[in-house]
Amino acid sequence: MANQLNGKDILEKNFKTSMRGYNQEEVDEFLDTIIQDYEYFQQEVNRLRTENDRLKKNSETRLRSTPSNHQVNYDILKRLSNLEKAVFGRKFEEE
């Protein structure tokens, strides 16, 4: 659902007056508060959209740069083998 109003639309809205209508100053003050809130929320939505786009780009970059599981497993096994040789290697080579 798209925004139907903006701060300017709210500010420029005129209501018809009647004999027993609302206090115009009170309505204007309330509309001023609504305009401030509306503009704040619009800025917050824009900020969050920008942050969301940035996070999506970062996650896509990480997914592309992550090595495959096969490569990670091979590296771990190679390190483990080297560690075993360093710790136990002399004993196994002598037997």
Side-chain angles (χ1 to χ4, degrees), residues 5-17:
L5 297 173
N6 60 36
K8 185 178 177 185
D9 293 336
I10 296 170
L11 178 65
E12 293 177 353
K13 175 67 178 166
N14 287 317
F15 295 95
K16 297 177 183 174
T17 56

Side-chain angles (χ1 to χ4, degrees), residues 16-24 26-27:
K16 297 177 183 174
T17 56
S18 65
M19 189 173 214
R20 294 186 170 196
Y22 294 106
N23 180 334
Q24 190 168 355
E26 189 177 339
V27 171

